[in-house]
Amino acid sequence: MTAAGRLRTFLDGPEAEIRDAVRAWIEEPGNGAVTDLPREEHRAQVLAWARELAEGGRTAIGYPVEYVGEGAVGRSIAAFETLAYGDLSLLVKCGVQFGLFGGAVLHLGTRRHHAAHLAAIARMELVGCFAMTETGHGSNVQAIGTTATYDAAGETFDVHTPDAAARKDYIGNAARDGGMAAVFAQLVVGGEPRGVHALLVPLRDARGDVLPGVTIGDCGAKLGLDGVDNGQIAFDHVRVPRTALLDRYAQVAPDGTYTSPIENPAKRFFTMLGTLIQGRVSICGASITASKAALEVAVAYALERRQFGPPGGPEALLLDYRTHQRRLLPALAATYGLHFAQERLVAQLHAVFTTGAGDRERRELETLAAGLKAIASWHATETIQACREACGGHGYLRSTRFAALKADTDVFTTFEGDNTVLLQLAAKNLLTGYRDQFGELDPLGVAAFVAGQVLGTIAERTAVRKVLPAGALLDRDIQLGLLRWRQEHILAGAARRLKRGIDAGRAPFDVLIECQDHVVAAARAWVDLVVLEAFADGVRRCPDPELRPVLDRLCSLHALARIEAERAFYQEHGRLSATQSKAVIKAVNALCAEVREDAALLVAGFGVPRCTAPSPARLEAAA
Amino acid sequence: MTAAGRLRTFLDGPEAEIRDAVRAWIEEPGNGAVTDLPREEHRAQVLAWARELAEGGRTAIGYPVEYVGEGAVGRSIAAFETLAYGDLSLLVKCGVQFGLFGGAVLHLGTRRHHAAHLAAIARMELVGCFAMTETGHGSNVQAIGTTATYDAAGETFDVHTPDAAARKDYIGNAARDGGMAAVFAQLVVGGEPRGVHALLVPLRDARGDVLPGVTIGDCGAKLGLDGVDNGQIAFDHVRVPRTALLDRYAQVAPDGTYTSPIENPAKRFFTMLGTLIQGRVSICGASITASKAALEVAVAYALERRQFGPPGGPEALLLDYRTHQRRLLPALAATYGLHFAQERLVAQLHAVFTTGAGDRERRELETLAAGLKAIASWHATETIQACREACGGHGYLRSTRFAALKADTDVFTTFEGDNTVLLQLAAKNLLTGYRDQFGELDPLGVAAFVAGQVLGTIAERTAVRKVLPAGALLDRDIQLGLLRWRQEHILAGAARRLKRGIDAGRAPFDVLIECQDHVVAAARAWVDLVVLEAFADGVRRCPDPELRPVLDRLCSLHALARIEAERAFYQEHGRLSATQSKAVIKAVNALCAEVREDAALLVAGFGVPRCTAPSPARLEAAA
């Protein structure tokens, strides 16, 4: 096997079979990403593709075996990640249908809901929405306005949109295809508010007509993902039966008795949300795939395109210029790091959802998913942009795919949790050592909780260490040590500042605002460490003596590019002298020149499928 | 007048009248940016708009008075900058037609061409292309492949595309509307190559049919600017009369005698290119306008949207969060800085083109235009992205305009000169103290020329100064001093490295590659200084006692945000201690909190027009 083939096998890991199956599907004529299609045709094409995948029988890989699934969460993520090489509207449509809507039924519902719906969802016979976000509330889900009021006499819930801000918004599958929605609403039973719960509410009849009491709007043209029919949904006292409540974590008896196995309402809410984490992990993976796709195009171009050069000879390849290496190669290295970190995240997800897990394991998973999704989606945004620019005017043509990659992934920084909010969530878990049991998205909790903690543990771990020995920048342990020191120091500092503010009697919210950039930095630094640890582990695990040094160089480039980016911090804290700091810059330049020789191999290892856009014949069939 | 009105008057400056006229046109129903239109309809709409503007009689402001113009270069840029609040395809279409094509005729042609074409161009009776870039060569224009061979017998030029790489590419007005092109080609006279010259070549007849020997392709869907009909043009031995040569800088007599007032061929080439600098200045201005438009939306949203907050009270405004302030307010400050720098650039342009100027003034203009265009267009890309993310899912709807702003401005980093190439050009001029007379885009020249220079001047200016006194971060002179020190130090260092490499006998190209990041950093640091100087000057010039402190705070935020971004450098070079470096971060946070109170005023001062998209009736008329 070629080196590229062996690298691909190593990167694909245990789920190579499903990855190759998805690649093969994308490479079939007409299954590639849409480059230029009117919105309604794009939507029709995406629906047709989703149905085709459903007929193929592998859209429920993560569902239990008794409901047409394979009970294989890790495999389902691998399939989803790989699908991101194709049309990203299809990816998101699948995510909404099989992941979010199906996931809500699976994780928040009980046997009754599973039996009634899961197989139909997997087969696209029931197309559904995940109706959580409202016009007025996205990040702060606990404050949504939609109500579901129980009427014991009729044994029904009255689902209602009290005002414009409570309208469900940006909901995939709403504008065109959705027959039902998992609606998140404030449950009111016997006049008592019980917090946010989810119910299944029909939206359209069998002919596709919108049902009475339901008003649906179309979000219309978006920045990207125009093949997904996002819309708004409002409810005017829509009645659904008592059994519509997805009642795994809370039950309402016919007489209106409310019961739940989780006593604390906040804990109940965050437990429910926690089961939906797969969406976040999936988008993290898709962000990494999109970065790979962009890098493959830009590196290929840089190894073919020549411009300027020494007199007499041929012009120089773009990738021989240092500025070009600087644009692409640290991004390539970071993409590899994120790949290995994602492997770790998926393994954790799989373990939590298949072998069962305690609160701490769930909280660790939540932290990694939040932090990694934020960093990976920002990385995708930056990398795709850098790759587009590195291809000049050529990169501005829609045929190079940058247009779709850029536009479609743009919202990855927002959906499944705004990145800044997610980093605060991750920081909170780190600050509380995973001991905080509830309060997922409430930034106030960070300040309040830390104030009650003894900070000994954190402070102890950040005991002062020796200054970096000279000439040791390529030592993996020293690289890891620098990232670890930064992570621990920032975390401890943030904790101390929060505690000091609260102890001084100041309002927790004001204290939090004042430390907010520090708190977010703590989460970023932690993700940096986790990514480098995962990368280093990937290098160690690589069984191929020819590939290992390639990955090892790449890992050093990633580590030193991160250290270079934070070298102001390291100098501020006496971890790098001025001379050492300058040496880091030189080392990154030198590593760029070395990794340049591996660049073709490194992008070939991704196994990016050759796409062909939908043919006119297929488009007519889909219309 | 309100504070916002007074601020707008101050920012609008002497060309307020034309700015307001353009704003008023954009605000007319149906003249706002297109948000969601099929490509051919968008192209038709843009052409109709351009014709409407031409009928309005102010599309030739920069042309001489005898050719329907006003002889007012500065005013023409002000109009163009303001037009960037509308549809950016219209902006670029106007840039191609009146700026690039008209500019080539004006600056490279002589009276004969002016009399024949300028009025028709201004009235859109003659629609034309600027055919410089080829599939194989964009940045390195001197290496283009199209030939124009003189045939003395027929007194014609034979314009020819020898291979696929020499095909003209990405050419605006080519795919649909262009009747003629200013074609850049290697001139061959009497068998002798004379370098790149421009000729007017008809493309289509009066009915719009493509002429024999001309092959035109359509670039099709692009990442953005889909209302501009970019295309490819190939020539198969197309004959044009001798008078088609734009012959201001080089003439071919009927018998084939080649003459030029500029002896040196390289100097001749760069003199010709130099006359076309207005395009670069215009795109720089448009980048700043686009940043203003994005900030206006994002700041308004952040002052309206609430999410989370202290218990009991209403949720907090997004702009009260430090992370949100950090996202938007330094970008707002930088936009103001760039605004004032652009004023300076336009004044220089106006002076060079109306009062005449020596080589040094032209070289200074070239340097500022190159550096500022690079930094302003990257700033636009980053700012629009930050603003989109700061508006969450709402920002992903096409109706918020981020989609068009993002997609349409994306290529600003590429056209009118790739930013990385432009920074090298700027650095070269700085390194040679503007003494290098030719060699605009050839990076090799940098290394070769510097090797021949005595570096005394630069080295002298960078004599060591005192370390920053404590607590002086808000002192404008200290802010300027820090940026100046950085600029001079990096420039001198780059010069020394280049000279050392060349003196050691190494190949100039290898030396350049090795110092390339250093060279680019020198240009960036210089632009940073120029922007801050212009901003500081703007604050000083502000006549309004209420506004001046507002601008002063904003200027400090900009200065310290730049210093914060480069604080690793300042520590590496002993200009900031670790403690002072941390103090810079705190000062930026404090200034963000102060500027937050001015944010509404600061975006109102831009005078962003309220846009309304084209109505269906107008669209039908345009189709």
Side-chain angles (χ1 to χ4, degrees):
Chain A
M1 206 191 281
T2 63
R6 300 198 312 274
L7 180 55
R8 173 173 158 175
T9 300
F10 177 61
L11 293 177
D12 276 358
E15 298 297 352
E17 180 269 333
I18 188 77
R19 292 186 202 271
D20 276 338
V22 175
R23 284 187 181 108
W25 184 86
I26 293 171
E27 286 187 333
E28 280 175 33
N31 287 357
V34 161
T35 54
D36 183 26
L37 207 56
R39 187 165 62 252
E40 288 308 323
E41 289 174 48
H42 192 179
R43 286 176 171 182
Q45 170 69 77
V46 165
L47 180 65
W49 272 332
R51 289 201 187 286
E52 183 183 327
L53 289 174
E55 282 161 21
R58 300 196 71 177
T59 44
I61 294 171
Y63 297 175
V65 178
E66 60 263 47
Y67 302 111
V68 305
E70 303 174 17
V73 179
R75 192 172 311 139
S76 80
I77 304 269
F80 188 84
E81 284 173 3
T82 312
L83 194 59
Y85 283 127
D87 190 273
L88 289 165
S89 287
L90 173 62
L91 179 93
V92 170
K93 186 93 171 177
C94 288
V96 168
Q97 170 70 12
F98 309 115
L100 292 174
F101 176 58
V105 171
L106 174 63
H107 295 300
L108 302 180
T110 47
R111 183 162 296 273
R112 173 173 48 202
H113 307 103
H114 300 167
H117 300 307
L118 276 183
I121 293 170
R123 287 196 288 261
M124 287 286 284
E125 291 157 10
L126 173 62
V127 178
C129 306
F130 182 81
M132 177 185 275
T133 298
E134 298 179 351
T135 305
H137 284 97
S139 295
N140 191 2
V141 176
Q142 279 187 291
I144 60 170
T146 303
T147 53
T149 309
Y150 187 63
D151 169 20
E155 290 191 27
T156 55
F157 288 101
D158 175 289
V159 178
H160 188 61
T161 305
D163 52 45
R167 181 187 64 170
K168 297 296 176 184
D169 211 345
Y170 320 116
I171 308 298
N173 274 344
R176 184 182 186 273
D177 299 327
M180 185 181 273
V183 175
F184 289 78
Q186 304 286 353
L187 196 72
V188 181
V189 185
E192 199 177 336
R194 292 294 188 169
V196 175
H197 293 63
L199 307 89
L200 293 178
V201 182
L203 298 179
R204 290 180 171 87
D205 62 23
R207 290 179 320 187
D209 292 330
V210 175
L211 292 169
V214 178
T215 305
I216 291 185
D218 192 323
C219 287
K222 303 192 297 296
L223 200 158
L225 296 177
D226 268 337
V228 183
D229 56 325
N230 294 81
Q232 303 101 13
I233 313 172
F235 303 99
D236 182 16
H237 296 290
V238 171
R239 293 264 160 178
V240 293
R242 185 184 61 91
T243 53
L245 180 70
L246 294 172
D247 59 351
R248 175 165 167 197
Y249 293 104
Q251 304 79 35
V252 175
D255 67 353
T257 308
Y258 178 90
T259 52
S260 170
I262 305 174
E263 194 109 348
N264 183 303
K267 181 171 184 185
R268 188 186 313 134
F269 172 70
F270 289 112
T271 302
M272 289 188 204
L273 280 199
T275 63
L276 306 173
I277 196 163
Q278 191 173 332
R280 216 164 263 171
V281 176
S282 300
I283 287 305
C284 186
S287 298
I288 298 164
T289 301
S291 304
K292 291 175 182 174
L295 284 162
E296 199 240 9
V297 176
V299 167
Y301 187 76
L303 288 171
E304 183 188 302
R305 172 79 167 183
R306 295 173 180 275
Q307 207 77 177
F308 299 112
E315 291 179 288
L317 288 170
L318 294 189
L319 203 56
D320 285 327
Y321 288 96
R322 177 170 288 169
T323 48
H324 218 80
Q325 292 172 2
R326 278 274 187 175
R327 272 177 165 181
L328 298 182
L329 301 182
L332 179 61
T335 303
Y336 265 81
L338 289 166
H339 170 97
F340 291 115
Q342 172 75 1
E343 278 188 348
R344 184 174 287 194
L345 174 62
V346 172
Q348 279 189 24
L349 177 79
H350 190 85
V352 163
F353 276 84
T354 55
T355 64
D359 270 357
R360 189 187 168 91
E361 284 73 27
R362 291 183 179 277
R363 190 47 54 104
E364 285 180 354
L365 170 64
E366 174 190 272
T367 310
L368 186 56
L372 205 59
K373 181 271 189 185
I375 299 307
S377 55
W378 270 326
H379 173 73
T381 299
E382 285 164 22
T383 299
I384 294 164
Q385 182 65 30
C387 289
R388 199 303 284 159
E389 292 181 25
C391 292
H394 175 69
Y396 199 63
L397 299 182
R398 199 159 277 264
S399 51
T400 53
R401 258 210 92 181
F402 289 121
L405 280 173
K406 218 183 115 147
D408 293 343
T409 63
D410 181 279
V411 79
F412 290 9
T413 60
T414 296
F415 69 16
E416 294 293 327
D418 173 88
N419 281 357
T420 304
V421 175
L422 289 184
L423 287 179
Q424 289 175 80
L425 162 63
K428 175 180 187 174
N429 289 348
L430 296 170
L431 282 163
T432 57
Y434 308 106
R435 280 168 303 210
D436 180 20
Q437 288 177 67
F438 37 80
E440 190 199 45
L441 288 172
D442 169 20
L444 259 186
V446 178
F449 196 93
V450 166
Q453 296 290 316
V454 179
L455 297 173
T457 324
I458 293 175
E460 206 170 298
R461 283 150 67 208
T462 59
V464 179
R465 290 169 199 188
K466 279 175 300 212
V467 165
L468 177 69
L473 289 173
L474 296 181
D475 183 318
R476 187 63 29 83
D477 287 337
I478 287 180
Q479 294 164 358
L480 283 162
L482 278 167
L483 264 64
R484 192 170 298 116
W485 191 87
R486 173 170 155 76
Q487 185 267 315
E488 291 174 354
H489 185 87
I490 295 182
L491 188 65
R496 270 192 299 270
R497 280 180 67 190
L498 288 167
K499 184 160 167 57
R500 209 153 52 215
I502 304 278
D503 287 351
R506 304 190 48 216
F509 189 74
D510 296 342
V511 174
L512 179 76
I513 293 282
E514 219 161 84
C515 304
Q516 204 187 10
D517 53 330
H518 202 150
V519 165
V520 167
R524 275 179 180 271
W526 177 77
V527 176
D528 279 349
L529 173 63
V530 171
V531 170
L532 185 60
E533 284 176 344
F535 201 160
D537 186 52
V539 176
R540 262 195 308 272
R541 281 189 291 109
C542 179
D544 191 309
E546 192 189 333
L547 295 176
R548 205 180 314 110
V550 172
L551 292 176
D552 187 57
R553 278 194 288 278
L554 192 68
C555 186
S556 279
L557 174 57
H558 176 62
L560 293 181
R562 290 310 312 145
I563 292 165
E564 183 189 42
E566 302 298 348
R567 68 193 206 282
F569 168 89
Y570 287 113
Q571 291 181 81
E572 278 158 4
H573 297 85
R575 296 294 99 186
L576 287 181
S577 68
T579 308
Q580 288 166 336
S581 181
K582 289 189 229 172
V584 172
I585 303 172
K586 286 204 194 92
V588 171
N589 283 336
L591 282 164
C592 277
E594 288 182 44
V595 168
R596 179 252 174 274
E597 302 304 322
D598 306 324
L601 167 64
L602 288 165
V603 294
F606 294 147
V608 181
R610 302 295 90 200
C611 293
T612 46
S615 67
R618 282 183 65 93
L619 294 182
E620 275 165 37
Chain B
M1 206 191 279
T2 63
R6 300 198 311 276
L7 181 56
R8 172 172 157 174
T9 301
F10 177 62
L11 293 177
D12 277 358
E15 300 297 354
E17 180 269 333
I18 189 76
R19 291 186 202 272
D20 276 339
V22 175
R23 283 187 182 107
W25 184 85
I26 293 171
E27 286 186 334
E28 280 175 35
N31 288 355
V34 160
T35 55
D36 183 26
L37 207 55
R39 187 165 64 251
E40 289 307 323
E41 289 174 48
H42 191 179
R43 286 177 171 183
Q45 170 69 76
V46 165
L47 181 65
W49 273 332
R51 290 200 187 285
E52 182 182 327
L53 289 173
E55 282 160 21
R58 299 197 74 178
T59 44
I61 295 171
Y63 296 175
V65 178
E66 60 264 46
Y67 303 111
V68 306
E70 303 174 19
V73 179
R75 191 173 311 139
S76 80
I77 304 269
F80 187 85
E81 283 173 5
T82 311
L83 195 58
Y85 283 128
D87 189 272
L88 289 166
S89 288
L90 173 62
L91 179 91
V92 170
K93 185 92 170 178
C94 288
V96 168
Q97 169 69 10
F98 310 114
L100 292 175
F101 177 59
V105 171
L106 174 63
H107 294 299
L108 302 181
T110 48
R111 184 163 295 275
R112 174 173 46 205
H113 307 105
H114 301 168
H117 301 306
L118 276 183
I121 292 170
R123 287 197 288 260
M124 287 287 283
E125 291 156 12
L126 173 62
V127 178
C129 305
F130 183 81
M132 178 185 274
T133 297
E134 298 179 351
T135 305
H137 284 96
S139 295
N140 191 4
V141 175
Q142 279 186 290
I144 58 170
T146 303
T147 53
T149 309
Y150 186 63
D151 170 20
E155 290 192 25
T156 53
F157 288 101
D158 176 288
V159 178
H160 187 60
T161 305
D163 53 44
R167 183 186 64 171
K168 297 295 174 184
D169 211 345
Y170 320 118
I171 308 299
N173 274 345
R176 183 181 187 273
D177 298 327
M180 186 181 272
V183 176
F184 289 79
Q186 303 287 354
L187 196 71
V188 181
V189 185
E192 200 177 337
R194 293 294 188 169
V196 175
H197 293 64
L199 307 91
L200 293 179
V201 183
L203 299 179
R204 290 181 171 88
D205 62 21
R207 290 179 319 189
D209 292 330
V210 175
L211 292 168
V214 179
T215 304
I216 290 185
D218 192 323
C219 287
K222 302 191 299 294
L223 199 158
L225 297 176
D226 268 337
V228 182
D229 55 326
N230 295 80
Q232 302 101 14
I233 314 173
F235 302 100
D236 182 14
H237 296 290
V238 171
R239 293 264 160 176
V240 293
R242 188 183 60 89
T243 52
L245 181 68
L246 294 172
D247 59 350
R248 176 166 168 197
Y249 294 103
Q251 304 79 35
V252 174
D255 68 352
T257 308
Y258 178 91
T259 53
S260 170
I262 305 174
E263 195 108 348
N264 183 303
K267 181 171 183 184
R268 188 186 312 136
F269 172 70
F270 289 112
T271 303
M272 289 188 203
L273 280 198
T275 62
L276 307 173
I277 196 163
Q278 192 172 330
R280 215 165 264 171
V281 176
S282 299
I283 287 306
C284 186
S287 299
I288 298 165
T289 301
S291 304
K292 291 174 181 173
L295 283 163
E296 199 239 10
V297 176
V299 168
Y301 187 76
L303 287 170
E304 185 188 302
R305 172 79 167 185
R306 295 172 181 276
Q307 207 78 179
F308 299 111
E315 290 178 289
L317 288 169
L318 294 189
L319 203 55
D320 286 327
Y321 289 96
R322 176 169 289 169
T323 48
H324 218 78
Q325 293 172 2
R326 279 274 187 174
R327 272 178 165 181
L328 298 182
L329 300 182
L332 179 60
T335 303
Y336 265 79
L338 288 166
H339 171 98
F340 291 115
Q342 171 75 2
E343 277 188 348
R344 183 173 288 195
L345 173 62
V346 172
Q348 279 190 24
L349 178 78
H350 189 84
V352 163
F353 276 83
T354 56
T355 65
D359 271 357
R360 189 186 168 92
E361 285 72 28
R362 290 184 180 276
R363 190 47 54 101
E364 284 180 356
L365 170 63
E366 175 190 272
T367 311
L368 185 56
L372 206 60
K373 181 271 188 184
I375 299 307
S377 56
W378 269 327
H379 173 73
T381 299
E382 285 164 21
T383 299
I384 294 164
Q385 182 64 30
C387 289
R388 199 303 286 160
E389 292 180 25
C391 292
H394 175 69
Y396 199 65
L397 300 182
R398 201 160 275 264
S399 52
T400 52
R401 258 212 90 183
F402 289 121
L405 281 172
K406 220 183 111 146
D408 294 343
T409 64
D410 180 279
V411 79
F412 289 9
T413 59
T414 296
F415 69 17
E416 294 293 327
D418 173 87
N419 281 356
T420 303
V421 176
L422 289 183
L423 288 179
Q424 289 175 80
L425 162 62
K428 175 180 187 174
N429 289 348
L430 296 170
L431 282 164
T432 58
Y434 308 107
R435 280 169 303 206
D436 180 20
Q437 288 177 65
F438 36 81
E440 190 198 46
L441 288 173
D442 168 20
L444 259 188
V446 179
F449 197 94
V450 166
Q453 296 289 315
V454 180
L455 297 172
T457 325
I458 293 174
E460 208 172 294
R461 282 151 69 208
T462 58
V464 179
R465 291 171 198 186
K466 281 176 299 213
V467 164
L468 178 71
L473 288 173
L474 296 180
D475 183 319
R476 187 63 28 83
D477 287 336
I478 286 180
Q479 294 164 359
L480 284 162
L482 279 166
L483 264 64
R484 192 171 299 117
W485 191 88
R486 172 170 155 75
Q487 186 266 315
E488 291 174 354
H489 185 86
I490 294 182
L491 187 65
R496 270 192 300 270
R497 280 180 66 190
L498 288 167
K499 187 162 166 52
R500 211 157 45 217
I502 304 280
D503 288 351
R506 303 190 46 216
F509 190 73
D510 296 342
V511 174
L512 179 78
I513 295 282
E514 217 160 85
C515 303
Q516 204 188 11
D517 54 328
H518 201 151
V519 165
V520 167
R524 274 180 181 270
W526 178 76
V527 176
D528 279 351
L529 173 62
V530 171
V531 170
L532 185 60
E533 283 176 345
F535 200 159
D537 185 53
V539 175
R540 262 195 308 273
R541 281 189 291 109
C542 180
D544 191 308
E546 193 188 331
L547 295 176
R548 205 179 313 111
V550 172
L551 293 176
D552 187 57
R553 278 194 287 278
L554 193 67
C555 185
S556 279
L557 174 57
H558 176 61
L560 293 180
R562 290 311 311 146
I563 293 165
E564 183 190 42
E566 303 298 348
R567 66 194 207 282
F569 169 88
Y570 286 112
Q571 291 181 83
E572 278 158 3
H573 296 85
R575 297 293 99 184
L576 288 180
S577 69
T579 308
Q580 287 167 335
S581 181
K582 289 189 226 171
V584 172
I585 304 171
K586 285 202 193 94
V588 171
N589 283 336
L591 281 163
C592 276
E594 287 182 45
V595 168
R596 179 252 174 271
E597 301 305 321
D598 306 323
L601 167 64
L602 288 166
V603 294
F606 294 147
V608 181
R610 302 294 90 200
C611 294
T612 46
S615 67
R618 283 183 65 90
L619 294 182
E620 275 165 36

